[in-house]
Amino acid sequence: MRLFPRLAAAVATLSLSALALAAPTPRPSAGERLDHALLWGRSLDQITAAMTVKLGFQVAPGRPQGALANRYVRLDGERFIELLGLTGADAPLDPGAQADQAALHGAAGARTLVLHSDALDAARAALLARGLAATPVFSAAPDDPDGTGPGTPPRWSLFAVDPSPLSSRLFYIRYAPVRPDIAADRRSAREHPNGARELSALWLLSADAEADRAQLARLGYDRATPVRLAQIGARGYCVAIGASALLALQPDGAGAAADALAQGGAQIAGISIGVADLERARHLVGRGYERTLERYRGLAGASFLAPSRDDLGLWIEFHARDRATGPCGAAAAGAASANAGR
């Protein structure tokens, strides 16, 4: 008779164990946010000229790395846009650069994004537990140009989610603490004539925004808000990544987004940049492109769109900074008003 309670307890224990195994491993959220996008130019000088003369950014030096070279647009919170161009050197490209170039065919544009995590190993373990594939974590070598010399911690460590579950390639990265002398250089590099301060969002454009939204939820980012971007004719979702966001978009009928997808396939179609003074930025960028740029109410509030697609292979949206809202806070209000008017 005493076996029944023990049997019931055993069944309960097994059931709880099964639930624990079935439940997805919680995603570590320590310091997770957008880190940077890899933006290729037709050449490094071409994209640098567009970013400085037309768009009003300061571009910081990089270095040759075999068959390619890079430069940086540095922003607050150690976020940045990495500018890349082929050097013409007869040297192999790393697998990520090869994949980007296979998609771009020498054109300007972006196909890779990088997320930051303070808990890199835990982030990788959680993704593997969710059935995703990831490369081993690898770091800058002591003699790497991106390193800080023998006897010092690697400047960066990263892994790729490969194959990427998203329509663009995805990496996670972690950095060593920045040395004081380097930190001073970084602060100087963040002073932009256009007043740029933050990388607030990247726009992932594909034929199926719902697929990207579902894969972002699988990655552990399940705070999605429906949105429409009338300025390019797109709809989809705003998905919070820490204090920043990814937009999973698809064309909303005929328009600029449909044209971009037809011409370049799945891509990072836009970058949202928060600026200190929107009118100053609008005047400077309008002068660079020799046209008047109209303001509109975007997902992040008052915004304007730089006509940068021919130069960069993507749009740059500048918006006024608003720390009172979350990464998709204004987007939620915009989505509600857009749906009410449809």
Side-chain angles (χ1 to χ4, degrees), residues 308-336:
S308 54
R309 185 159 186 84
D310 288 344
D311 295 310
L312 309 181
L314 51 70
W315 293 283
I316 292 190
E317 179 188 66
F318 294 88
H319 64 85
R321 299 182 78 184
D322 183 359
R323 295 190 178 278
T325 63
C328 296

Side-chain angles (χ1 to χ4, degrees), residues 12-339:
T13 299
L14 288 172
S15 299
L16 289 172
S17 299
L19 286 172
L21 290 172
T25 302
R27 290 281 292 109
S29 59
E32 289 199 356
R33 55 166 171 74
L34 293 183
D35 190 82
H36 69 278
L38 305 181
L39 178 55
W40 291 84
R42 292 186 289 276
S43 73
L44 193 59
D45 287 341
Q46 171 267 323
I47 199 168
T48 298
M51 294 296 280
T52 55
V53 176
K54 292 185 175 181
L55 290 158
F57 291 101
Q58 178 189 175
V59 174
R63 60 189 64 83
Q65 303 173 54
L68 58 85
N70 67 350
R71 291 171 183 158
Y72 299 96
V73 174
R74 296 205 173 274
L75 298 157
D76 287 357
E78 297 300 327
R79 283 168 276 191
F80 60 96
I81 304 168
E82 184 171 2
L83 309 180
L84 294 168
L86 297 176
T87 64
D90 186 16
L93 296 172
D94 65 66
Q98 288 178 15
D100 279 0
Q101 282 299 306
L104 290 165
H105 304 290
R111 299 294 186 275
T112 298
L113 65 132
V114 184
L115 303 181
H116 175 271
S117 175
D118 289 332
L120 198 66
D121 293 325
R124 180 176 178 273
L127 296 180
L128 292 174
R130 288 169 177 252
L132 294 156
T135 67
V137 174
F138 57 96
S139 304
D143 60 349
D144 190 284
D146 274 339
T148 53
T152 62
R155 195 181 73 81
W156 52 259
S157 298
L158 61 80
F159 69 86
V161 185
D162 188 22
S164 174
L166 303 175
S167 56
S168 290
R169 289 173 54 79
L170 174 63
F171 288 76
Y172 282 78
I173 198 165
R174 177 189 62 222
Y175 300 100
V178 180
R179 294 191 332 230
D181 57 328
I182 296 176
D185 288 342
R186 298 273 180 87
R187 285 193 297 271
S188 298
R190 293 196 292 266
E191 295 299 323
H192 300 282
N194 62 16
R197 289 290 180 266
E198 65 182 354
L199 170 63
S200 56
L202 298 175
W203 307 0
L204 306 185
L205 178 66
S206 72
D208 189 348
E210 173 60 28
D212 268 343
R213 184 212 61 76
Q215 292 296 346
L216 284 165
R218 187 181 175 204
L219 286 162
Y221 310 115
D222 54 4
R223 294 159 51 200
T225 301
V227 296
R228 294 184 69 242
L229 272 64
Q231 63 270 30
I232 64 167
R235 62 180 172 85
Y237 303 91
C238 178
V239 179
I241 311 286
S244 48
L246 286 174
L247 305 185
L249 303 172
Q250 69 183 54
D252 191 18
D259 293 343
L261 187 63
Q263 293 164 7
Q267 60 195 270
I268 299 175
I271 298 176
S272 295
I273 300 288
V275 297
D277 185 333
L278 189 66
E279 280 307 300
R280 174 182 172 83
R282 189 166 73 104
H283 172 75
L284 192 153
V285 177
R287 186 178 64 187
Y289 280 95
E290 299 183 342
R291 67 184 74 178
T292 300
L293 302 175
E294 299 299 326
R295 285 175 53 145
Y296 57 85
R297 183 74 179 173
L299 303 182
S303 310
F304 72 88
L305 195 68
S308 54
R309 185 159 186 84
D310 288 344
D311 295 310
L312 309 181
L314 51 70
W315 293 283
I316 292 190
E317 179 188 66
F318 294 88
H319 64 85
R321 299 182 78 184
D322 183 359
R323 295 190 178 278
T325 63
C328 296
S337 61
N339 291 333

